[in-house]
Amino acid sequence: MVSGAPSLRSYRLTTLEDDGADFRVRPMLIRAPVLRNERLISDYWQLTLDAPAVADGAQPGQFAMLTIARQDGLTPLLPRPMALCRWDRAAGSIDVVYRVVGEGTAALTTWRSGEQMTTVGPLGTGFKLRAGASTILLLGRGIGTCSLTALALRGVSEGVRVVAVASRRDKQAAAGAALYGGDGSIEIIDVLDTDGSSDPAAVRRELLRRFDVTGPDQIFVCGSERLLRLAADLGDSHGAEVQVSIEAHMACGIGYCHGCSSGAPGLGEEAPLVCTNGPAFRVARGALA
């Protein structure tokens, strides 16, 4: 997700719910057994839960709320929103990739196979792949890439050309190209801070080379305001729709607490909520509506 930083206020965001019938299923609260919780590399981990009720209705770009505190524990008190990186409906499992950045995610690493974690999902309005789209571009940075991987797989399954930029700090950051798999069905552009290839100007040059004739029909972005700016500019150049996944602090994930309004403070009316109206929004350049 893209952090809800002040710079986002220079973009006008509209909800994807207006496109028609709500595709979401009712979220379920379950006690999901932990199947695996393993370190991938450095401070990145992958959690796999046995959660058929969540996997069965999940859509690309949605998330789940995970209660990290055990039943006999007091902290961390509030559940945490985690992007659904992938799921297996046949096996009934869901995967979350997370980075250890504080007390909550450090506590998450202590969960072991067989323990049951309180889980609510699938939640939110995810990305919408346009019917008839022939090419899509995914721009992901760091852990934000996890919000795009399921969309890439959906595109491939529908015969869409998928080009994915996986931006990360260095090769020790697991949230990169490896999350998309390695079967060659996705055109992956792996870029790093350490060699300068993740600089937006360098990414732009590579994308212009890839799309020298026909641009993408849709652009999806998550994890970086710089990539969001690039996505908006490319969208204007190619006439492509841009969708972004936004990150926000939230306590419930279902719209009760109203703590994740996507707008600037002081507006007369509350802006759409990231948890229910988002986290995926359509982007247009201009003043905040």
Side-chain angles (χ1 to χ4, degrees):
M1 299 181 183
V2 172
S3 174
S7 55
L8 278 177
R9 297 171 193 160
S10 63
Y11 297 87
R12 181 165 49 87
L13 306 179
T14 59
T15 66
L16 296 168
E17 298 173 307
D18 298 333
D19 289 352
D22 191 347
F23 63 82
R24 295 174 298 184
V25 300
R26 179 176 297 179
M28 303 293 292
L29 186 154
I30 60 173
R31 297 278 292 166
V34 175
L35 298 177
R36 286 178 299 278
N37 191 22
E38 303 171 339
R39 186 195 300 270
L40 294 175
I41 188 173
S42 183
D43 49 359
Y44 291 86
W45 288 64
Q46 178 173 323
L47 170 69
T48 303
L49 298 174
D50 182 16
V54 179
D56 188 55
Q59 298 292 332
Q62 289 188 299
F63 66 98
M65 296 292 286
L66 306 182
T67 299
I68 299 174
R70 293 173 171 84
Q71 284 191 313
D72 57 351
L74 298 177
T75 57
L77 182 61
L78 295 176
R80 303 296 171 91
M82 294 284 179
L84 296 173
C85 185
R86 64 180 63 86
W87 51 86
D88 185 330
R89 288 195 172 99
S93 62
I94 61 173
D95 287 340
V96 166
V97 175
Y98 63 97
R99 182 186 175 201
V100 179
V101 294
E103 178 184 355
T105 44
L108 186 55
T109 67
T110 67
W111 281 75
R112 300 291 178 258
S113 177
E115 292 188 276
Q116 294 188 336
M117 180 179 294
T118 299
T119 303
V120 179
L123 294 166
T125 299
F127 294 115
K128 288 195 176 180
L129 182 62
R130 182 189 303 163
S134 61
T135 302
I136 61 174
L137 170 62
L138 313 181
L139 302 174
R141 169 74 180 181
I143 204 68
T145 301
C146 299
S147 295
L148 299 169
T149 50
L151 178 64
L153 296 176
R154 170 71 59 82
V156 169
S157 71
E158 296 185 10
V160 176
R161 178 193 178 197
V162 180
V163 179
V165 172
S167 177
R168 50 185 174 149
R169 299 189 315 273
D170 52 45
K171 292 184 178 179
Q172 293 301 305
L179 293 179
Y180 287 109
D183 63 0
S185 60
I186 301 167
E187 298 178 40
I188 300 173
I189 305 171
D190 194 17
V191 298
L192 307 171
D193 293 350
T194 49
D195 62 10
S197 58
S198 66
D199 183 82
V203 175
R204 179 191 294 273
R205 287 193 296 271
E206 174 60 23
L207 292 176
L208 290 176
R209 186 186 68 81
R210 300 247 180 171
F211 298 112
D212 59 341
V213 178
T214 304
D217 299 298
Q218 291 179 282
I219 303 174
F220 303 89
V221 59
C222 188
S224 165
E225 199 276 331
R226 294 197 308 171
L227 288 180
L228 172 57
R229 188 182 306 119
L230 175 59
D233 290 343
L234 292 173
D236 288 343
S237 299
H238 293 294
E241 179 194 38
V242 178
Q243 295 179 26
V244 61
S245 180
I246 295 181
E247 177 184 356
H249 294 294
M250 58 183 72
C252 70
I254 54 177
Y256 285 163
C257 71
H258 288 251
C260 61
S261 174
S262 59
L267 290 178
E269 297 182 1
E270 183 177 59
L273 301 178
V274 172
C275 68
T276 53
N277 305 117
F281 292 88
R282 183 177 293 105
V283 179
R285 294 298 297 269
L288 183 69

